[in-house]
Amino acid sequence: MSKGTLYDKVWDQHKVTTLPNGQDQLFVGLHLIHEVTSPQAFGMLKERGLEVARPDLTHATVDHIVPTANQDRPYSDDAAETMMAELEENVRDAGIQFSDPTTGDQGIVHVIGPEQGITQPGKTIVCGDSHTSTHGAFGALAFGIGTSQIRDVLATQTIAMEKQKVRKIEVTGELDEGVEAKDIILEIIRRLGTEGGVGYVYEYAGETIENLDMEGRMSICNMSIEGGARAGYVNPDETTYEWLEQTDYFQENPEKFEELKPYWESIRSDEDAEYDDVVEIDASELDPVVTWGTTPGQGIGIDDPIPEPEDLADDKVDTARRAQKHMRVEPGDTMEGYDIDVAFLGSCTNARLPDLRRAARIVKGRQVDDDVRAFVVPGSQRVQRAAEEEGLKDIFEEAGFEWRNAGCSMCLGMNEDQLEGDEACASSSNRNFVGRQGSKDGRTVLMNPRMVAAAAITGEVSDVRDLKEVTLA
Amino acid sequence: MSDATEDIPEVDYVEGSGIPIRGNDIDTDQIIPARFMKVVTFDGLGEFAFFDLRFDDEDNEKDHPFNEEQFQDSNVMVVNNNFGCGSSREHAPQALMRWGIDAIIGEGFAEIFAGNCLALGIPTVTADHETINALQQWVDDNPDGEIEVDVRAETVTYGDNEINVSVDCAQREALVEGNWDTTALMKANKNAIEETASQLPYLDQTRSDIEADD
Ligand code: SF4
């Protein structure tokens, strides 16, 4: 059993009691909700005559179904309009704060929490979305939950959970040009497997992680779940505090910043903390990573050959065969040169301001390939505004990208942004599952945002290092 | 206020015929594609379980156990490893349950998926690769054959075989004691909840944050 880790400390701090079934009951510091997984939970609550226990610790946004082109109400998609109206009614009845599109604060739930400063170190954070692990970048203990658990949290502000093991993933070495946080996490998942993290929480540590900005740390924690780990976190440090200080919450309550800092420092994993497992990764060896298959664990360096299924572990052979057939790739080839029809720059993994900035540097002065439809979907309205103010929108549009409003968009294809037929997509999102982007024959290649920009320009999966970056004025 | 624990059945035992779903890493997007989640209740999700694996673009049936005549009354699904990986959508086990699944036997399950199943009273029990393969084969040969999943004893019986399976401790306890619906259970600890909350250094601030915005 782990001892002295951030996970242990935050867990103990929030533990209410042990339930008869052996699970612990944990207090939830922040409950984020959105339109897709909450309506049924509110329904269950009503059925039982229960009320929302702590609306003050609940925060709502709309992201999954929101259209990113025309957001006039009612939405043209009736089902989307119904879901939005349902959420509006639920939050109004319960008195829950709602970052809806008219506030200018709306966006993907895992982008807006950190922006507003409600994501903080040492909080327990839950949301009916598996990528809630993102908030772990701040040293929060954050995990995705199902709808019945959302009901539990709405009704009691607590959740029943079993304590898990902690695996420390120590990342060292300087990143090569063109390689970023996304590549580190894709490599971790490739190495440890998509189910390797089941039963674990991941602590990301080491100098490479410490040198990342908050956005990079969020990209890594975001995809913990793709490695099977329900939560992932980074110990809070000066980088974390600098971010927090700029947020609305601490701008409005500056005294709280000094008041809470000792708590944040106290929950950092101890020097002599004990872990259930430790894994070391040398990031200096990494090339930009792209996926060749239909699970996020099927990744390779841009120069590496696609593996022979038979060379993989026994339990991976079948999945690899099916994936290669679906993707129409051959073992021995590299992914470089793989034809792309769509370039999607978005999602809670990679649609924050620095992601868009880096991609814009590749795109500037170049043109999107004639056969590619390319679009940028900022992670939030704030990211969108900031990007517009510093001219990124113009750069993307001049290159032939479409510039959209904030939402999940083609990350999961629940709104009108979807792949058609067997289109291949260079995507900065987190899942390449069959059917994920809205077409069951669609093909998704996951990569970092600069690699998406490069693919949009060349019309094929390309090594971004071959395209010289243009420095933004 | 109704006491929710009253009508929660104990699930220490599930019996019925099997249905094999082969393959590792079957993710929630395959179990229920996102486009069917544009709903505000779970009613009617059953017919969309595995939809894209069951139907082609023209809605013609493809080869899939969920389409096969002999499995239409099956309620015990037998799967391979990392089943239910991907999103937290409870729509996935809801769709399976509404199609008719009452228990799942597999090599391994993604955590959130298993937790969601528990919240619905669906046991997810595990055994090793060879054991699962043998059971899947037996189900193919005996589509009407009876399988008994004994959650309490952690065994699965079929034909002349009895195999040992693993059930996560808390899951087993919750299912056999009938306390897998946690809302009422946790709500009863009101005082302890308030006590824990009062110790959290960050809590007041969140409240005043809201008040400041009001
Ligand atoms: S962007 Fe994608 S992964 Fe993130 S919350 Fe939205 S749908 Fe989920």
Side-chain angles (χ1 to χ4, degrees):
Chain A
M1 260 332 218
S2 63
K3 234 171 87 184
T5 69
L6 179 143
Y7 179 68
D8 294 292
K9 297 182 195 183
V10 179
W11 185 280
D12 290 346
Q13 181 89 36
H14 291 81
K15 180 172 157 181
V16 173
T17 185
T18 302
L19 297 168
N21 65 15
Q23 290 181 313
D24 281 349
Q25 180 176 1
L26 289 189
F27 189 84
V28 171
L30 174 64
H31 183 198
L32 298 164
I33 60 172
H34 62 83
E35 76 282 17
V36 178
T37 53
S38 72
Q40 297 87 348
F42 279 105
M44 296 178 196
L45 214 62
K46 270 178 217 148
E47 260 170 40
R48 298 181 181 198
L50 298 174
E51 301 211 322
V52 178
R54 293 296 297 262
D56 59 322
L57 302 182
T58 313
H59 194 108
T61 187
V62 58
D63 50 8
H64 286 64
I65 53 96
V66 74
T68 60
N70 178 1
Q71 293 189 328
D72 293 346
R73 300 285 298 277
Y75 298 146
S76 58
D77 175 353
D78 289 343
E81 178 60 30
T82 306
M83 297 183 85
M84 176 63 164
E86 182 96 1
L87 180 64
E88 287 173 322
E89 190 185 319
N90 287 331
V91 297
R92 196 173 46 235
D93 290 353
I96 293 168
Q97 241 194 331
F98 181 22
S99 294
D100 74 65
T102 63
T103 60
D105 299 330
Q106 172 266 343
I108 305 173
V109 63
H110 313 309
V111 179
I112 68 155
E115 276 176 353
Q116 298 183 23
I118 52 178
T119 296
Q120 294 169 11
K123 267 194 189 183
T124 42
I125 302 180
V126 302
C127 173
D129 189 284
S130 58
H131 293 97
T132 308
S133 56
T134 311
H135 306 260
F138 289 80
L141 186 52
F143 32 78
I145 57 176
T147 297
S148 297
Q149 288 176 301
I150 299 175
R151 175 200 62 206
D152 284 354
V153 181
L154 288 175
T156 68
Q157 199 61 27
T158 62
I159 185 166
M161 277 197 105
E162 268 161 280
K163 205 166 172 203
Q164 302 187 305
K165 293 183 279 191
V166 184
R167 174 179 288 145
K168 183 182 194 179
I169 302 181
E170 181 123 21
V171 189
T172 52
E174 203 172 319
L175 295 176
D176 193 13
E177 198 191 342
V179 180
E180 43 190 91
K182 178 70 158 284
D183 304 296
I184 298 176
I185 188 63
L186 283 171
E187 172 66 10
I188 290 172
I189 301 164
R190 184 189 71 77
R191 252 199 250 180
L192 301 178
T194 47
E195 73 296 327
V198 173
Y200 284 96
V201 162
Y202 283 174
E203 174 175 313
Y204 302 101
E207 63 186 27
T208 317
I209 303 291
E210 285 160 18
N211 290 336
L212 289 173
D213 58 14
M214 288 315 295
E215 289 86 350
R217 296 178 188 185
M218 282 190 260
S219 300
I220 290 192
C221 290
N222 176 272
M223 291 186 70
S224 302
I225 187 68
E226 262 61 67
R230 198 165 178 183
Y233 65 85
V234 177
N235 281 302
D237 60 12
E238 285 308 318
T239 308
T240 321
Y241 307 148
E242 270 166 38
W243 170 291
L244 290 167
E245 216 170 356
Q246 302 306 315
T247 59
D248 305 354
Y249 179 74
F250 290 104
Q251 289 287 311
E252 285 158 23
N253 306 279
E255 75 289 352
K256 292 288 180 193
F257 184 80
E258 290 308 325
E259 210 177 295
L260 284 172
K261 212 166 162 188
Y263 173 59
W264 301 338
E265 285 287 298
S266 75
I267 51 144
R268 285 175 53 89
S269 293
D270 297 335
E271 290 289 334
D272 58 354
E274 290 170 26
Y275 297 88
D276 300 284
D277 190 30
V278 178
V279 172
E280 287 170 13
I281 305 264
D282 179 0
S284 65
E285 296 166 356
L286 286 181
D287 291 319
V289 178
V290 293
T291 55
W292 51 264
T294 54
T295 84
Q298 293 168 328
I300 41 168
I302 183 72
D303 296 326
D304 295 335
I306 296 163
E308 285 284 353
E310 284 67 26
D311 294 344
L312 300 169
D314 281 353
D315 61 334
K316 300 283 169 224
V317 176
D318 256 8
T319 316
R321 267 203 213 106
R322 268 184 287 132
Q324 294 185 352
K325 186 162 166 248
H326 180 87
M327 295 298 290
R328 291 188 241 135
V329 295
E330 294 292 332
D333 292 352
T334 67
M335 282 304 286
E336 200 167 4
Y338 188 79
D339 260 336
I340 289 297
D341 308 294
V342 177
F344 172 61
L345 197 51
S347 91
C348 58
T349 315
N350 278 129
R352 297 182 181 83
L353 195 56
D355 299 318
L356 303 190
R357 277 189 194 134
R358 285 196 306 277
R361 266 184 232 131
I362 304 299
V363 164
K364 189 169 184 183
R366 297 193 166 99
Q367 281 301 310
V368 169
D369 184 85
D370 284 345
D371 298 326
V372 172
R373 57 187 178 105
F375 52 111
V376 185
V377 185
S380 70
Q381 291 181 325
R382 292 189 186 195
V383 169
Q384 182 180 4
R385 272 198 306 277
E388 286 171 3
E389 274 161 25
E390 63 181 66
L392 303 185
K393 175 189 179 196
D394 298 335
I395 293 172
F396 281 112
E397 285 190 337
E398 278 160 23
F401 276 81
E402 276 183 62
W403 181 260
R404 294 291 186 81
N405 296 305
C408 296
S409 177
M410 202 185 267
C411 175
L412 91 166
M414 263 188 97
N415 70 357
E416 72 280 13
D417 306 333
Q418 307 199 349
L419 292 184
E420 285 160 27
D422 64 356
E423 279 181 332
C425 179
S427 181
S428 69
S429 58
N430 45 43
R431 285 189 176 142
N432 50 347
F433 298 154
V434 172
R436 172 72 179 181
Q437 296 194 287
S439 163
K440 65 182 174 358
D441 300 315
R443 295 165 290 149
T444 302
V445 185
L446 301 178
M447 58 187 77
N448 79 41
R450 273 187 285 190
M451 290 286 283
V452 172
I457 302 297
T458 60
E460 54 189 42
V461 174
S462 305
D463 190 338
V464 64
R465 294 171 298 189
D466 298 339
L467 276 76
K468 211 169 137 19
E469 283 194 36
V470 182
T471 315
L472 291 183
Chain B
M1 198 181 296
S2 64
D3 182 356
T5 48
E6 276 165 22
D7 37 32
I8 294 169
E10 289 150 23
V11 186
D12 48 3
Y13 193 79
V14 176
E15 63 186 338
S17 58
I19 177 167
I21 300 292
R22 291 186 166 85
N24 294 331
D25 300 308
I26 292 183
D27 57 73
T28 49
D29 280 84
Q30 290 178 57
I31 300 171
I32 181 90
R35 63 182 186 281
F36 299 118
M37 288 161 54
K38 281 200 241 173
V39 289
V40 292
T41 78
F42 291 125
D43 301 343
L45 281 184
E47 59 183 297
F48 304 121
F50 293 119
F51 194 88
D52 288 343
L53 299 171
R54 286 164 61 198
F55 300 97
D56 67 13
D57 289 336
E58 277 75 49
D59 283 348
N60 299 313
E61 286 193 0
K62 300 203 281 195
D63 278 348
H64 190 276
F66 268 51
N67 287 340
E68 286 173 38
E69 192 58 42
Q70 74 266 29
F71 294 129
Q72 290 313 301
D73 295 324
S74 302
N75 62 340
V76 178
M77 200 161 81
V78 190
V79 304
N80 296 103
N81 203 9
N82 201 26
F83 187 84
C85 60
S87 88
S88 64
R89 60 186 72 159
E90 191 166 305
H91 306 66
Q94 285 276 359
L96 297 173
M97 180 178 80
R98 283 157 203 274
W99 187 86
I101 299 300
D102 297 321
I104 316 179
I105 308 170
E107 288 174 50
F109 298 92
E111 257 161 43
I112 303 182
F113 178 82
N116 283 339
C117 285
L118 176 61
L120 302 179
I122 302 172
T124 47
V125 310
T126 57
D128 65 28
H129 180 66
E130 281 69 37
T131 308
I132 294 294
N133 261 0
L135 177 55
Q136 288 176 327
Q137 192 55 52
W138 183 85
V139 172
D140 273 336
D141 298 339
N142 303 276
D144 296 326
E146 186 89 343
I147 301 178
E148 295 168 26
V149 182
D150 190 329
V151 179
R152 190 187 297 268
E154 300 191 56
T155 58
V156 167
T157 316
Y158 64 98
D160 296 330
N161 310 291
E162 180 179 287
I163 53 173
N164 291 323
V165 294
S166 306
V167 188
D168 170 83
C169 279
Q171 180 190 141
R172 177 165 165 269
E173 183 69 22
L175 288 172
V176 301
E177 298 300 332
N179 59 16
W180 43 271
D181 183 321
T182 35
T183 303
L185 201 65
M186 295 202 295
K187 205 162 171 55
N189 299 329
K190 196 165 179 292
N191 292 341
I193 296 173
E194 276 169 16
E195 173 62 24
T196 308
S198 71
Q199 302 295 321
L200 292 173
Y202 61 80
L203 255 204
D204 275 339
Q205 42 134 1
T206 317
R207 296 212 107 166
S208 63
D209 174 28
I210 302 292
E211 279 150 23
D213 281 355
D214 272 348

